[in-house]
Amino acid sequence: MWFKSYLSDRSFRVSWRGEVSKSQQLATGVPQGSVLGPLLFSIYMTSLGSVIQKHSLSLSFRLFLSLLCCYADDTQLYFSFQPDDPMVVARISACLSDISSCMNDHHLQLNLTKTELLVVPANPSFHHNVSIQLGSSTINPSRTARYLRVVMDHQLSFTDNIATTTRSCRFALYNIRKIRPFLLEQATQLLVQALVFSRLEYCNVLLAGLPACTIKPLQLIQNAAARVVFNEPKTAHVTPLLIRLHWLPVATRIKFKVLMLAYKTTTGTAPTYLSSLVQSYVPSRSLRSASEGHLVVPSHRGSKSLSQTFSWNLHSWWNDLPISIRTAESLLIFKKHRKTHLFRQHLTNQY
């Protein structure tokens, strides 16, 4: 009854420069800005899932190529296929056509001008020509696609995402630096953490295993932020500043988050898709190492780039931790001891 009363007899008006239009009945949808809008929209579009499943499009990372298609309301469609599959274009076109019809039935419209197509080959040297024709519009593969504010490129190198993050952080630091003479040190640190670190930390687990040269621009941003907090010149040595702030370097902070996910997977509190990547080490016979909480390191045979993947780094970094940290009783204790361990390993011992 509550939902029925909320969705029935609704009206809306438009206000512009002090002028208010006449009240009009709201035949479909809910008032803009409603807290129930996202939930009701998800329920409203439940039938879209069956349309996608009818074309056998599902989330999969086991085949050779992966495709990401973004369409109305930032919905993403993942599809994996073989490089020599001749039916790829036809299947995607048919699926998008059915999605467009489904949206029309629900008083929505598929915006083809904002539809992006990203093809990620398993072999970077392989180029797959995928061009989707839908009506009078042609959708060609893009070099990058944005997903939840993360810029993904066709090689999954995340260089474009790092460049975008660096640019936004540099602009925030520029504004903070202009008002730094009027701020206390503590207030400056709070501003940096809110406006800069929130961008540096966002989805940084995706950068696990990337070369140091790729992550270096983010580290330069952190160094600049530390100098701004203490109002130091650009030539000031940054390591003692990071120690005073108790800030882990960017690469170490990424490692910090990956280890937290590893702890959650070993304790059974992580999502299923992460738990499937982790296998606890169980010796074939009774050994003391059985209680040390090791993980089985996947074999890198047949893949030259596996050492740069999330699962490889998760296992190796986890097994390198001291036993006392791996077997912590709670997540809070684990985070505290792990940060102290990484801080001493990557900052204190090097200064």
Side-chain angles (χ1 to χ4, degrees):
M1 292 298 295
W2 183 53
F3 273 98
K4 183 177 180 180
S5 63
Y6 182 79
L7 298 173
S8 303
D9 299 327
R10 307 298 298 184
S11 61
F12 70 96
R13 292 183 297 177
V14 178
S15 176
W16 174 251
R17 293 183 178 180
E19 299 292 332
V20 181
S21 66
K22 295 181 179 180
S23 179
Q24 300 289 333
Q25 289 296 317
L26 188 64
T28 58
V30 295
Q32 188 174 4
S34 169
V35 294
L36 289 177
L39 174 62
L40 294 178
F41 180 79
S42 299
I43 299 174
Y44 185 67
M45 294 303 297
T46 303
S47 59
L48 191 62
S50 60
V51 174
I52 297 173
Q53 292 178 359
K54 184 179 68 174
H55 294 273
S56 301
L57 303 188
S58 59
L59 183 62
S60 175
F61 300 102
R62 297 182 181 179
L63 300 183
F64 294 97
L65 291 175
S66 298
L67 177 144
L68 167 64
C69 181
C70 308
Y71 44 92
D73 295 291
D74 293 333
T75 305
Q76 286 75 37
L77 175 65
Y78 299 88
F79 175 41
S80 297
F81 55 92
Q82 300 285 350
D84 55 352
D85 188 353
M87 300 300 297
V88 170
V89 175
R91 291 174 60 189
I92 298 175
S93 299
C95 182
L96 292 180
S97 179
D98 288 350
I99 290 174
S100 180
S101 300
C102 178
M103 288 187 169
N104 289 334
D105 295 339
H106 289 78
H107 308 283
L108 298 172
Q109 183 177 5
L110 178 63
N111 192 343
L112 296 177
T113 61
K114 294 185 178 180
T115 300
E116 294 178 317
L117 182 67
L118 179 66
V119 180
V120 183
N123 187 351
S125 61
F126 183 83
H127 299 282
H128 196 90
N129 185 18
V130 178
S131 182
I132 309 300
Q133 187 72 30
L134 191 61
S136 59
S137 301
T138 302
I139 306 174
N140 295 313
S142 303
R143 183 181 175 275
T144 61
R146 188 180 295 272
Y147 177 50
L148 296 178
R149 284 176 47 203
V150 176
V151 181
M152 304 180 68
D153 58 271
H154 65 289
Q155 293 184 350
L156 294 183
S157 62
F158 293 101
T159 53
D160 293 272
N161 181 67
I162 292 175
T164 302
T165 303
T166 303
R167 189 162 49 248
S168 62
C169 290
R170 190 181 293 114
F171 179 73
L173 278 177
Y174 172 77
N175 291 329
I176 295 175
R177 190 179 287 110
K178 288 198 299 185
I179 61 173
R180 179 61 183 87
F182 311 101
L183 297 175
L184 298 176
E185 183 179 298
Q186 184 179 5
T188 307
Q189 183 177 348
L190 291 176
L191 274 178
V192 168
Q193 290 175 341
L195 301 178
V196 179
F197 267 53
S198 60
R199 294 178 170 90
L200 288 178
E201 296 282 312
Y202 184 73
C203 291
N204 60 351
V205 175
L206 296 172
L207 310 180
L210 291 180
C213 59
T214 305
I215 304 178
K216 185 178 179 180
L218 300 180
Q219 184 59 54
L220 294 178
I221 289 294
Q222 188 189 51
N223 296 346
R227 295 187 180 102
V228 168
V229 170
F230 293 108
N231 204 18
E232 294 285 346
K234 296 181 179 180
T235 56
H237 188 39
V238 76
T239 302
L241 304 182
L242 296 179
I243 293 176
R244 289 172 60 186
L245 291 168
H246 210 71
W247 287 355
L248 291 172
V250 172
T252 310
R253 182 63 185 176
I254 295 172
K255 185 177 180 179
F256 179 91
K257 283 194 174 182
V258 171
L259 290 174
M260 183 178 65
L261 293 177
Y263 179 83
K264 290 183 176 181
T265 56
T266 57
T267 56
T269 57
T272 306
Y273 67 89
L274 285 179
S275 301
S276 61
L277 300 175
V278 174
Q279 182 181 356
S280 299
Y281 171 70
V282 180
S284 57
R285 53 192 177 91
S286 180
L287 297 174
R288 285 181 297 177
S289 59
S291 60
E292 293 181 357
H294 284 100
L295 298 177
V296 178
V297 179
S299 173
H300 61 279
R301 186 182 306 169
S303 177
K304 296 181 181 179
S305 61
L306 187 58
S307 60
Q308 297 181 359
T309 61
F310 171 78
S311 61
W312 173 269
N313 288 283
L314 183 145
H315 292 78
S316 58
W317 289 344
W318 174 264
N319 292 339
D320 290 340
L321 285 176
I323 302 176
S324 59
I325 299 180
R326 291 199 304 266
T327 57
E329 298 179 355
S330 66
L331 180 61
L332 183 62
I333 297 175
F334 173 78
K335 291 171 63 176
K336 180 180 179 180
H337 291 172
R338 176 195 50 187
K339 183 173 183 179
T340 302
H341 171 74
L342 294 177
F343 189 82
R344 292 174 178 173
Q345 184 180 21
H346 294 277
L347 279 179
T348 309
N349 291 343
Q350 299 179 7
Y351 180 66

